[in-house]
Amino acid sequence: MSLLPRARNAAALLALPVLLTACAAAGTEQAASGPPKPGGTLRLGISSAPDCIDPQQAATNASINVGRQLVDSLTDQDPKTGEIKPWLAEKWEINADSTAFTFHLRAGATFSDGSPVDAAAVKTSFDAIKALGTKAQLGYGYLAAYKASTVVDPRTVRLDFSAPSAQFLQASSTMSLGLLAPAAFQKTPEQRCQGNGLIGSGPFVFESLKQNQEIVLAKRKGYTWGSSLFKHQGEAYLDKIDYKIVPEPGVRTGSLASGQLDAATDIQPVDEPQFKGNGFTENIRPNPGVVFNLHANTTRGVLTDEKVRQAVLKGVDRAEVVNTVLTPSYKAATSILGSATPLVSDLSQQLAYDQKAAAALLDGAGWVPGPDGIRVKNGQRLSASVVFSPVFNQNRSVLELIQQQLRKIGFDLRIEQHTTAETTQIQLSGGYDFLWYNVTRADPDILRSQFSTKAGNRSKLTPGNPLDVALDAQSSTVDTAKRKPSADEVQKLIIDHAYAVPVFELTQVVALGSQAHAVDFEASSRLQLFDAWLS
């Protein structure tokens, strides 16, 4: 089966970030294949064409998995513990109300044009990301309260914020706030999207882009300032990374099976079994951040009634969704946050399937079964629509199963498929009953961007509600012990009031051929290829 030279832009939801970390099988194959060795080109099949490969502007999975290799960040985040670790910054201090962050930079790091990674370059980069506005699709939110940077000395920079911004420490580990050289900003944002002027300090440099076909990165010679979490120091092992854009899942898996690719992302549930054994391995990890969920607009139709929302929450059988439509690689939601998110709460009891309790709630609220089984009240049918785009291959199948489950309690869920652009416009206009989406970030502050009345407010709540108070509290300190109670309260309030109905955690499945090793992921579930190698 040959690689297709053309690719459709597979939809990738705004801020739908991706892909995850290693699986048990990886240790076995690594031991058998000997010590890592340098050299070679990794042929990596990806499922959609990156819309922009400038790390500071990118938001789609495909874009992020390319851009992460080009830039370093001030910090890094441990995927196992969520702890923030040194990278370009050796150490840092944060003031009491989390409005000032002072970073002390390591010596010797340079951008690929030879210019130093110093305090002035950090200031230039952050000021430029802020100036991008909404073009910095993820960084825009991370820097919402950013005021300015101050060069304290050549290796010390202070970033100031107008409001408590505890989330910024984690944000400083993300690719979206990765550093570009001052010279990069002489190019337009549009030019940088296409690779022109992408001057980072990362372990790889941009080499070429063929629209809808492939993107090639090459090893950065002399690189010696990798993250403290990298498995080795010095240069990357791979000479090149060749991202092949192959949207059709069957072609992508066929190309991997036939040896035309060394690895492939976005392996679909139906294709997983063929890459377990037979010389293949899979790296699997659930996304941190907001799980796939039915997010309710509490100002529309039947969803204004909290008892109706609670009935829907109890009427969804999450285990059946995972067991029927997905695979054991996927997890039923146990909170509005995924299990890989720092400070996640276990609310699995509150999310237990309970058809009788759902029916009792609807009975108590005056909804009685109609002639077709759908409940009615005062001439109104118990019905709401869900807006979704097919950013994940199984979305429609999952929603159709949920539709069947909710019919059992007399609720009619209408499914509306739209393009990603249309879905974004509907979300911004508020013209929806339920939104179906997920958002990846390895920090509980992702909930503030979706639920706070000062941010996304997808539930259309009124300002000053208890959820706002808890969201503000968790954003005011980086002290985990102090932050956890408010993060717990946020998750509990969302479930108690059924502002959203969590269903399952998106899982990234990357399959590797026998020669590919250590195609790994960082904490925010982006591909990290510094330690990858070929035998």
Side-chain angles (χ1 to χ4, degrees), residues 29 256 261-264 279-281 511-517:
E29 63 87 16
L256 177 60
L261 293 173
D262 301 303
F280 294 96
T281 53
L512 312 181
S514 60
Q515 292 185 309
H517 312 281

Side-chain angles (χ1 to χ4, degrees), residues 44 256 262-267 275 280-283 509-513 516:
L44 177 63
L256 177 60
D262 301 303
T265 69
D266 300 287
I267 301 301
F275 298 116
F280 294 96
T281 53
E282 290 176 344
N283 277 3
V509 181
V510 174
L512 312 181

